[in-house]
Amino acid sequence: MVLFDNSIIRLDYNPATDILEVEYPDLHDYLLSEIKRSIDTLLDTVRSYYVKRLLLDSTRTIISVGDEESREIATYLAAGLARTRVQKVARVQSPSTTVETTAQHSIRHIQEAQALPFQLQNFSSKTLAMEWLASNF
């Protein structure tokens, strides 16, 4: 069931599996403040529905900002998720080498800067990500 949908993110929740699917937003300079507000909506939804499993789909993400801005958004999301009940985050990788390189740098930075209280895994397909999320803890 779609819980939220705007031009930046779409939140699709399956209560049977307790998996919230989110298409990772495009990162453009002019959208950064709106992206943070959308992340706040995502975090509020995670808290309201006590979501423990999150799928971040980056397959269609476009990044037109620098590494620093991308890292800032990723860090904002990770810090927010750290204050929720989320236990597993699966990220579906982008087919774009540029997007994936930027994402991997951001993930590495986050993991070095803070101990994440949830498991984080990258996957090449949504099917593999869903299987991992649905597996027992």
Side-chain angles (χ1 to χ4, degrees):
M1 86 178 113
V2 176
L3 301 177
F4 181 81
D5 191 4
N6 69 8
S7 61
I8 297 177
I9 64 169
R10 176 184 170 104
L11 306 179
D12 192 2
Y13 181 62
N14 182 340
T17 60
D18 188 35
I19 295 174
L20 179 65
E21 290 184 48
V22 182
E23 289 187 19
Y24 201 76
D26 293 339
L27 300 181
H28 302 293
D29 282 334
Y30 63 91
L31 286 177
L32 292 179
S33 63
E34 192 61 37
I35 290 169
K36 283 188 176 179
R37 279 195 286 281
S38 293
I39 289 172
D40 290 339
T41 300
L42 163 65
L43 296 172
D44 288 343
T45 302
V46 166
R47 282 187 207 94
S48 296
Y49 285 82
Y50 301 103
V51 173
K52 292 187 179 107
R53 299 173 177 134
L54 181 66
L55 176 86
L56 294 176
D57 188 346
S58 299
T59 55
R60 291 191 252 167
T61 300
I62 298 169
I63 296 178
S64 67
V65 297
D67 285 349
E68 188 173 321
E69 292 89 354
S70 178
R71 190 176 317 126
E72 178 186 339
I73 293 295
T75 301
Y76 187 78
L77 174 59
L81 289 174
R83 294 186 305 272
T84 69
R85 295 180 182 203
V86 167
Q87 297 174 357
K88 290 174 117 178
V89 176
R91 182 182 167 275
V92 183
Q93 297 171 333
S94 171
S96 164
T97 306
T98 305
V99 170
E100 203 49 39
T101 300
T102 301
Q104 291 305 319
H105 287 140
S106 294
I107 290 168
R108 197 170 315 115
H109 173 79
I110 291 165
Q111 289 174 328
E112 290 171 0
Q114 58 184 326
L116 298 176
F118 52 83
Q119 297 175 53
L120 172 63
Q121 293 283 334
N122 281 304
F123 295 91
S124 57
S125 76
K126 185 175 176 179
T127 303
L128 292 173
M130 294 294 271
E131 287 174 3
W132 178 73
L133 285 171
S135 68
N136 291 332
F137 291 84

